[in-house]
Amino acid sequence: MDIKRLFTALLVSGIFSFSAISQSNYFGVTGNMVSGDFDNDGFIDDIAAFNTASESPTLTLWISNQGFINEEHPNCLLPFDFLSSKSLQSKIVSGDFDNDGFVDDIASIYEVGLNNTSITVWINNDKTFKATRFWYGPDFDANQTSKTIVSGDFDNDGFKDDIAAFYNYEQKQTKVYVWKSNGEKFAWPGTWWIGNDFNATKIQGTIVAGDFDHDGFEDDIASLYNYDDDFCRAFVWISNKNKFNWPYTWFEQENFAAKNLSGNVVAGDFNKNGFNDNIAALYKDNENNSSVLVFEKGKKGFNEPEIWWYGNNEAITTNSRLVSIDINENNKFDQFAGMLIENETATIQNWTATNRQFTLPENLWQTIALSVEDCEKEGSCLPNELFRELTVYPNPSEGELTVQIPYTETDELANIVIYNTLGSKVFEMQAKHGFEIPLNLTHLDKGTYLLQIISKENNTNKKIIIK
C-alpha cells in the first residue's frame, strides 16, 4: 500500500490520531487488550495490551484525551520468573490491585514451570509499570484458565482488585478460583464454585464480570455456554462475598452458536439504567456478516438478545480485541471499543449506545500494520533485539558459562541478575554491552535458573540450566 495515499486517506476520513509510519504485528495483542484509567484522569477511557508476537512481550497504551487517542510505549519491566511471551496469551486483566483508587494496574496469571504458576501484577506509577509477584502456586496449571479469567470486586471491599478464574479439569469438572487482593498480595485462592460435568472450554472468551444483581458491586459473573449442537445457555453466578451461588440460567436458545461471538463479549450499562448488567456481543453469522447483540436484564434473567447494530466483517477483523470503555467520559459504560485489523491497516473503533441502538462506529486511531500473510511469512514483527542477539553458552552447563550482551547505542551498562525458581536472587553483577562476560556459577545447586538482563531501555530473560 502507498503510505502517502494512506496518510491522505486518514486525513480525509477524520482519523484523530496517526501513529508512526512503521509496520507492526498488531495481531500480537489478540486476547490481551484491557481497558483502564492508565493516565489517572478519573475515567476508564484508556486501553492497554501486551503484544505477545515476539519472544519478549511489549506493553502498549492507547491513552484517550477528550476523544483523541495516542499510542504510547511505557516503561514495563518483566518479572524475574517470566519465561515465555506466549504464556501471557489470553490471561490478562486490569484492576486496582494496589488500592490507590485508580483502575490502572495489569495482572496476568501464567506458567513459570511445569504445573507451576505465578500471578504478576504490573503496578502503574506515572506510566511506569513495575512487576510484582502477587501469588505463586505449585501444582497449578495456568494454561487451564486461558480465556476464562476476569477481574472484579468479588469481596465487596470497594476496589476492583480481585481475580476469578474458571479452571478446567480435563473437560469433566470446573472449579472457580478467586484470588482476593489486600493491595500488596493475593491470598490463597478460595474455591467459590464447583461444577461437575461442566466443561470450561465451552465458555472460553464469553466470560464477563458485572453487577447483575444490582447490589452496587461488580462482583457477579456471566457467561455464554456453547453446547455441541449450537444450543446456548447464559449462566450467571451471583456473589455473596465468599462464594458464588449456583448459576441461574438467564437465557437459552437453540441454533445460537455462542462460538461465533467468543472473544467479542463485553459487559456494560448500554441501556443506561445505572448498572453494568447488560452484555453486548459482536456476533458473526454464517455469511460472515456482523451484528451487535445486546442482552438486557429482565425480570427472570436476560431478555432475548436484540440487534442494536448491523455491520460487515467487524466480528472477524476484531477477533478478541474488544473492551468496554468510557471514551465519552460520562461515567457510564455505554461504549465499547475494538481494534480492527484488515489488509495493512489497524484501526481502533468505538461504538456508543444511544436509544437502544449503537451509532456508527467512530474511528479513534489508525496505523499501518502487517497483513495476516506478511505476519505468517515474517513471523515476529516486533522483535526484541536484546533477546534475539543475547547469547548464553554453553547452556546447559556445569556452572561455567559465557553471556554475550549485544551492543546498543543507547545503553552502555547492563545488570546481569540470576534468580532461582523460588524467586530469590542468587547472583548479580554489572557488565558492558558488546562484551563477552564469563560467569562462574559452580557454587549454585544443580537445577533451572532465570537469567535476567536489565538495561535502561529494555530487559529480557533467558532460562539457564546447571547440570
Side-chain angles (χ1 to χ4, degrees):
M1 176 179 289
D2 188 312
I3 291 179
K4 290 184 178 179
R5 286 192 340 196
L6 177 58
F7 185 72
T8 302
L10 296 178
L11 293 177
V12 171
S13 63
I15 300 301
F16 291 120
S17 148
F18 185 75
S19 70
I21 298 178
S22 61
Q23 290 182 314
S24 297
N25 182 358
Y26 286 98
F27 290 98
V29 308
T30 301
N32 302 328
M33 291 181 62
V34 294
S35 60
D37 181 12
F38 300 109
D39 60 357
N40 296 165
D41 65 353
F43 299 101
I44 310 296
D45 58 351
D46 310 313
I47 298 173
F50 274 109
N51 194 319
T52 58
S54 63
E55 296 91 340
S56 184
T58 57
L59 179 63
T60 301
L61 299 180
W62 288 269
I63 300 298
S64 171
N65 183 12
Q66 297 181 347
F68 291 84
I69 294 285
N70 291 312
E71 180 183 9
E72 300 181 10
H73 297 275
N75 184 17
C76 179
L77 299 179
L78 295 178
F80 71 87
D81 57 8
F82 184 80
L83 295 177
S84 168
S85 181
K86 297 303 181 183
S87 66
L88 297 179
Q89 190 67 42
S90 300
K91 297 187 287 292
I92 294 173
V93 293
S94 60
D96 180 14
F97 300 108
D98 61 354
N99 297 169
D100 66 351
F102 297 101
V103 180
D104 62 347
D105 310 314
I106 301 172
S108 179
I109 177 171
Y110 56 87
E111 181 183 28
V112 295
L114 182 61
N115 289 334
N116 293 325
T117 291
S118 177
I119 297 182
T120 288
V121 174
W122 283 266
I123 301 297
N124 179 15
N125 184 10
D126 196 22
K127 298 180 186 176
T128 294
F129 289 79
K130 181 181 178 182
T132 303
R133 176 188 270 185
F134 265 46
W135 181 77
Y136 171 75
D139 299 324
F140 190 97
D141 185 0
N143 296 317
Q144 299 303 317
T145 65
S146 177
K147 300 181 183 179
T148 63
I149 73 169
V150 291
S151 59
D153 182 12
F154 300 113
D155 59 359
N156 297 173
D157 66 352
F159 297 102
K160 185 181 178 181
D161 61 348
D162 309 315
I163 292 177
F166 287 71
Y167 192 103
N168 177 54
Y169 285 91
E170 298 180 351
Q171 303 181 5
K172 297 178 180 179
Q173 184 188 70
T174 293
K175 292 184 180 181
V176 178
Y177 295 109
V178 174
W179 291 261
K180 295 193 292 185
S181 169
N182 64 4
E184 296 180 351
K185 298 290 182 181
F186 285 121
W188 193 262
T191 302
W192 282 37
W193 181 75
I194 299 176
N196 296 316
D197 297 323
F198 189 98
N199 184 352
T201 65
K202 297 295 185 179
I203 59 174
Q204 287 182 329
T206 70
I207 299 174
V208 292
D211 182 12
F212 298 107
D213 62 355
H214 294 181
D215 67 352
F217 297 99
E218 193 169 310
D219 60 348
D220 311 313
I221 296 177
S223 73
L224 297 168
Y225 194 104
N226 185 71
Y227 291 86
D228 292 334
D229 57 356
D230 285 343
F231 180 80
C232 175
R233 276 198 175 103
F235 294 110
V236 174
W237 289 260
I238 301 298
S239 167
N240 65 4
K241 299 183 182 181
N242 292 300
K243 299 287 183 181
F244 287 118
N245 294 332
W246 192 261
Y248 296 102
T249 299
W250 280 34
F251 165 79
E252 56 184 358
Q253 183 172 316
E254 295 180 347
N255 300 318
F256 186 96
K259 61 187 178 184
N260 289 352
L261 48 78
S262 178
N264 290 341
V265 179
V266 294
D269 183 14
F270 304 113
N271 60 7
K272 301 181 182 180
N273 67 349
F275 299 97
N276 288 346
D277 62 347
N278 310 145
I279 293 178
L282 194 52
Y283 184 84
K284 174 182 70 68
D285 65 20
N286 293 333
E287 303 299 325
N288 289 334
N289 296 317
S290 303
S291 58
V292 174
L293 302 179
V294 175
F295 298 77
E296 288 188 84
K297 180 181 179 181
K299 293 182 178 180
K300 297 183 179 180
F302 290 124
N303 297 328
E304 184 175 349
E306 297 181 352
I307 298 176
W308 285 24
W309 179 82
Y310 287 100
N312 297 310
N313 65 345
E314 289 82 0
I316 300 173
T317 55
T318 53
N319 186 24
S320 300
R321 295 181 294 273
L322 208 69
V323 294
S324 180
I325 204 165
D326 185 22
I327 292 287
N328 57 13
E329 299 182 353
N330 65 355
N331 287 314
K332 291 182 179 292
F333 286 95
D334 56 354
Q335 300 174 299
F336 66 87
M339 177 183 287
L340 287 67
I341 305 176
E342 189 171 16
N343 298 324
E344 297 176 352
T345 304
T347 306
I348 292 180
Q349 291 187 344
N350 186 57
W351 285 259
T352 302
T354 303
N355 297 325
R356 302 177 63 80
Q357 66 178 358
F358 283 100
T359 59
L360 289 176
E362 178 184 17
N363 286 356
L364 301 177
W365 170 90
Q366 193 164 23
T367 192
I368 299 172
L370 286 175
S371 65
V372 175
E373 292 77 11
D374 286 337
C375 284
E376 290 177 348
K377 179 175 62 178
E378 300 294 337
S380 172
C381 308
L382 291 174
N384 180 341
E385 297 301 331
L386 181 60
F387 183 96
R388 285 188 179 279
E389 299 179 14
L390 177 64
T391 302
V392 180
Y393 64 93
N395 188 23
S397 74
E398 294 182 352
E400 293 184 350
L401 62 151
T402 298
V403 178
Q404 184 174 5
I405 307 174
Y407 171 78
T408 68
E409 296 181 356
T410 56
D411 293 330
E412 180 181 359
L413 296 176
N415 287 329
I416 301 176
V417 185
I418 296 177
Y419 298 90
N420 62 20
T421 55
L422 297 178
S424 299
K425 186 186 300 182
V426 297
F427 180 89
E428 183 175 16
M429 68 171 292
Q430 198 170 63
K432 287 187 176 182
H433 282 266
F435 288 85
E436 292 186 349
I437 313 298
L439 301 182
N440 187 339
L441 305 177
T442 55
H443 63 287
L444 299 180
D445 295 333
K446 296 179 182 180
T448 301
Y449 295 85
L450 196 68
L451 182 147
Q452 186 173 73
I453 305 296
I454 304 174
S455 299
K456 181 179 179 181
E457 297 295 332
N458 208 336
N459 72 321
T460 193
N461 300 341
K462 275 189 179 294
K463 181 172 65 174
I464 61 174
I465 298 175
I466 298 178
K467 59 183 182 179

